[in-house]
Amino acid sequence: MLRYWLEKVWVQNTVLAVVGIISLYYWGWVFDFGYDFQWPILFTVNKTYQINFGVEILKGLWLTAKITLISSLIGISLGTALGLARLSDFKPLNWTATCIVEFFRNTPLLVILFFFYFAFPQALPEAGRELLFETQFEFWTATFAVGLYTSAFMAEVIRAGLQSIPKGLLEAAYSSGLTYVQVLRKVILPLAFREIIPPLGSEFLNNMKNTSLAMVVGVADLTWQAQQVEALTFKGFEATTAASVLYLSFSLIIAFVINGVDGRIRASSKGKNSLPVMFINMLLIPVSCLNKILFHPAGRFLRQRRRQKMHAGVTVNTSQLILKKLYVMLVLISKGAFLAILAGLLFSLAKGFYSFDWSVIFKEFPTMLVWQFPNATGDDLFMGLGGFSLSFIIAIVAIFASFFIGLVVGLGRSSTNRIFRIPSLLYIELIRGNPLIIVIYWVYFLIPVLFDSFINTVWSASIALTLFTAAYLAEIVRGGIQNIPPGQVEAAFSSGLSYWQTMRKIILPQALKQMIPPIVGLFIAIFKDTSLVTVLGVMELTSVTKALDNRLMIASMELWTTAAVLYFVPCLLMSKYAKHLELKLSPEQVNLKM
């Protein structure tokens, strides 16, 4: 009887509305937060500091937008170059691009950011450091680090898109007389970008959220401004709420633009009339006018010149031979120049490693692996353990605790019943629309308010990572369930099995097998993200490295390189294992070489 009524849409909407009203009433008027909310601090001038904190937060949003735009341009440009290089038959170029991509994909962004901020200037001569510090060093360090980090992920997306192009299509293009550059410009990239716009959109969103780490090097972005409001007024709830709303709004804007670009490229009949596509078309009106006024006449002129040369016969053949020889010579010169530059970089790298103070590394390496609070006792959490060991423990706790939450939320997200689907969707989008550092601050501020007690920062960080991981894991679960043919569900229902029996005995056993590779990839991401809990003072690997760097002050290059290696090696091994599982579960793959 209950199931009969719950299947009706109007009943589902009514239940959701009643639950929403009760929740709003309870949290707004019944529950005693024990906290004096002062929302006017966000839009009035503070009498003590004579500034409007809301305006300052909007300035931080503008700086976040600038970093996002510039780092996105760096990411897509460098990512396209790296993606093409990874498919090259020229082995030195292929290996170099692979090393760059694997290193930045398997190293936390925060460690990369600290490396460029603390260690990289020490490798420059005195004049170079002075020139570097005369610019907006913090801003450009954060922007370049985020762009470089994003490029490694975009490179893999672009490489996958390029490999999705049928090999016969490339052979037909080459047999028609097109050069590699022409095939790349007219066939490969247009087709590839049409397929990779959705995953590229996800990377653009991740890039925007990654800019929140710019605050750790003193960039006054949105997160920094929110924390500044909390530090000056002790109103962390209001400041974090404002930052969350702005980050969610920014995420929706980026998603809106990406959907418009995707719909316009696909040029589907449904997409032409959608609001995002209409917005993109409106933005492209000046480009279309310029194209008609300038580029179309130039193209017609060049085509006429080409037709006139076609009558030259031998002259055209001779000029084509000359151009082909020049092209071959240019390719050889380019390869030689690349090998020379690569040799110089490898020599400088080897020289730099040779000049390391290895005694510092050997002395501090055990501390970075297993750090303990002085005079730690058995009553301390994990016996006061820190460093790499604590990072790994936090990641293990987060991935196992989030599995059950993600499984339930993923099932709710896949349900056709709105009572389960809409709350699950709200949870996923709320968490995924905010940077992890904001989620960490939310948990840190809310737990004392809701439970009227403080907990250890390690547990606070673990809860934040668990909630964050569960949202992404829920999407993995939803994708795994949707990959199961719907006919199996219909057959199970027709045989008399209930929904939960169908899920437990038929759907989930098959879906979990497909979810293993992305879950391993998610564990890699969480292990890297443990570096962010340094903002709470948790003494994991990044915090320990920073403390050692502040104490020694002369070994930044050695310490941050060691930290990067400690993150990189486990992540690389896990990524290789994930790739092995993916190949094992889907062996039908064709590699594209260009």
Side-chain angles (χ1 to χ4, degrees):
M1 184 68 178
L2 181 62
R3 181 179 176 182
Y4 169 77
W5 285 105
L6 288 179
E7 288 179 350
K8 296 184 178 298
V9 176
W10 70 269
V11 174
Q12 298 172 13
N13 293 335
T14 303
V15 171
L16 287 174
V18 170
V19 171
I21 293 172
I22 294 175
S23 300
L24 181 64
Y25 173 72
Y26 176 76
W27 293 108
W29 285 273
V30 177
F31 183 80
D32 182 16
F33 282 90
Y35 181 87
D36 183 20
F37 290 95
Q38 295 183 11
W39 297 106
I41 67 168
L42 297 176
F43 49 83
T44 59
V45 177
N46 186 275
K47 296 180 180 179
T48 303
Y49 302 101
Q50 294 300 312
I51 57 176
N52 190 317
F53 289 118
V55 174
E56 297 302 313
I57 289 176
L58 291 177
K59 290 180 181 178
L61 176 63
W62 169 245
L63 194 57
T64 294
K66 285 174 61 178
I67 299 175
T68 300
L69 178 60
I70 299 174
S71 61
S72 297
L73 292 176
I74 295 174
I76 190 65
S77 302
L78 189 56
T80 302
L82 290 172
L84 291 172
R86 289 208 64 188
L87 296 173
S88 175
D89 283 328
F90 185 47
K91 293 302 180 183
L93 179 61
N94 189 311
W95 293 337
T96 302
T98 301
C99 291
I100 293 173
V101 169
E102 292 295 337
F103 177 78
F104 285 103
R105 277 171 56 89
N106 294 292
T107 306
L109 173 58
L110 189 60
V111 174
I112 297 171
L113 192 58
F114 281 147
F115 178 86
F116 281 111
Y117 186 73
F118 292 115
F120 179 72
Q122 293 187 3
L124 299 176
E126 185 66 26
R129 283 198 296 271
E130 291 181 359
L131 180 63
L132 194 65
F133 294 147
E134 287 176 358
T135 62
Q136 295 179 338
F137 176 61
E138 291 81 7
F139 174 84
W140 288 111
T141 297
T143 303
F144 182 74
V146 173
L148 194 59
Y149 182 78
T150 303
S151 69
F153 291 88
M154 287 189 172
E156 287 299 277
V157 172
I158 292 170
R159 180 177 67 89
L162 294 174
Q163 288 186 320
S164 67
I165 299 174
K167 190 176 180 180
L169 186 61
L170 296 177
E171 293 174 349
Y174 284 125
S175 63
S176 65
L178 297 178
T179 64
Y180 170 74
V181 176
Q182 290 174 325
V183 172
L184 185 67
R185 181 170 59 88
K186 297 182 178 182
V187 179
I188 297 174
L189 291 181
L191 290 176
F193 273 97
R194 181 178 299 177
E195 298 299 325
I196 63 179
I197 287 297
L200 272 184
S202 298
E203 294 303 331
F204 280 119
L205 283 171
N206 291 335
N207 179 77
M208 183 274 293
K209 292 184 287 185
N210 287 336
T211 61
S212 62
L213 297 187
M215 64 162 287
V216 300
V217 294
V219 179
D221 70 326
L222 176 56
T223 307
W224 188 93
Q225 293 287 3
Q227 293 309 301
Q228 187 75 357
V229 173
E230 190 277 332
L232 295 177
T233 64
F234 300 101
K235 294 300 176 183
F237 190 92
E238 292 88 339
T240 308
T241 300
S244 296
V245 170
L246 291 175
Y247 272 119
L248 283 171
S249 302
F250 202 178
S251 298
L252 291 174
I253 292 172
I254 294 176
F256 182 84
V257 173
I258 293 298
N259 289 335
V261 173
D262 184 37
R264 191 178 191 280
I265 288 178
R266 295 183 183 277
S268 61
S269 58
K270 183 179 179 180
K272 287 181 180 178
N273 299 323
S274 66
L275 183 61
V277 176
M278 293 170 61
F279 176 75
I280 295 298
N281 288 335
M282 184 179 66
L283 290 180
L284 292 178
I285 289 177
V287 179
S288 301
C289 294
L290 183 64
N291 192 26
K292 292 180 180 179
I293 296 173
L294 182 62
F295 294 109
H296 280 183
R300 285 195 297 268
F301 175 75
L302 291 175
R303 284 192 294 271
Q304 289 176 358
R305 294 283 297 173
R306 194 179 298 115
R307 292 192 190 98
Q308 292 175 0
K309 289 183 178 181
M310 289 294 293
H311 299 287
V314 177
T315 305
V316 172
N317 293 333
T318 304
S319 62
Q320 288 179 347
L321 290 174
I322 294 174
L323 288 176
K324 287 182 179 180
K325 290 182 179 180
L326 289 175
Y327 176 76
V328 172
M329 290 178 61
L330 182 61
V331 169
L332 292 175
I333 292 172
S334 300
K335 289 182 178 180
F338 176 79
L339 290 175
I341 294 172
L342 181 61
L345 291 175
L346 291 176
F347 177 77
S348 299
L349 191 62
K351 185 179 178 181
F353 279 124
Y354 179 77
S355 63
F356 271 10
D357 188 353
W358 291 96
S359 62
V360 172
I361 296 177
F362 291 137
K363 181 181 178 182
E364 304 298 345
F365 187 75
T367 305
M368 298 173 72
L369 279 178
V370 181
W371 184 88
Q372 280 191 310
F373 282 99
N375 303 319
T377 65
D379 296 332
D380 295 320
L381 185 63
F382 301 125
M383 296 178 295
L385 196 67
F388 175 85
S389 303
L390 184 59
S391 297
F392 200 76
I393 290 173
I394 293 175
I396 290 288
V397 171
I399 196 69
F400 276 100
S402 64
F403 180 79
F404 301 99
I405 302 175
L407 184 62
V408 173
V409 176
L411 289 172
R413 178 70 177 85
S414 304
S415 175
T416 56
N417 193 311
R418 295 186 177 186
I419 298 176
F420 305 110
R421 188 177 77 250
I422 292 180
S424 300
L425 179 62
L426 290 176
Y427 168 77
I428 291 172
E429 296 302 325
L430 179 64
I431 297 295
R432 283 163 55 94
N434 277 287
L436 175 56
I437 196 169
I438 292 294
V439 178
I440 291 174
Y441 283 131
W442 262 116
V443 174
Y444 182 71
F445 289 129
L446 275 181
I447 285 182
V449 172
L450 295 178
F451 299 99
D452 195 24
S453 64
F454 286 91
I455 65 172
N456 191 288
T457 52
V458 174
W459 288 123
S460 178
S462 300
I463 293 171
L465 281 170
T466 298
L467 296 175
F468 189 78
T469 307
Y472 285 85
L473 191 59
E475 287 295 278
I476 294 176
V477 171
R478 181 177 68 90
I481 292 175
Q482 289 181 343
N483 284 336
I484 304 301
Q488 295 192 22
V489 179
E490 296 170 358
F493 286 156
S494 63
S495 65
L497 294 179
S498 65
Y499 172 80
W500 294 111
Q501 289 175 325
T502 301
M503 285 294 170
R504 182 169 58 88
K505 295 182 178 181
I506 297 177
I507 304 302
L508 287 181
Q510 298 180 74
L512 286 173
K513 181 181 178 182
Q514 300 181 22
M515 293 187 300
I516 290 176
I519 287 177
V520 175
L522 183 61
F523 181 77
I524 297 171
I526 292 306
F527 177 63
K528 293 189 300 178
D529 286 339
T530 57
S531 61
L532 271 66
V533 303
T534 186
V535 298
L536 299 182
V538 178
M539 293 303 291
E540 42 71 59
L541 177 56
T542 304
S543 296
V544 170
T545 306
K546 190 176 180 181
L548 293 173
D549 188 21
N550 292 335
R551 188 187 71 189
L552 298 175
M553 300 183 67
I554 57 172
S556 297
M557 183 68 73
E558 290 85 348
L559 291 173
W560 288 111
T561 301
T562 304
V565 171
L566 284 174
Y567 279 111
F568 171 73
V569 173
C571 290
L572 180 65
L573 294 176
M574 287 187 287
S575 66
K576 295 299 181 185
Y577 179 66
K579 187 175 182 180
H580 169 73
L581 287 176
E582 187 176 357
L583 292 173
K584 185 177 180 180
L585 296 174
S586 55
E588 62 287 347
Q589 292 190 5
V590 179
N591 290 326
L592 172 67
K593 293 292 183 181
M594 293 188 297

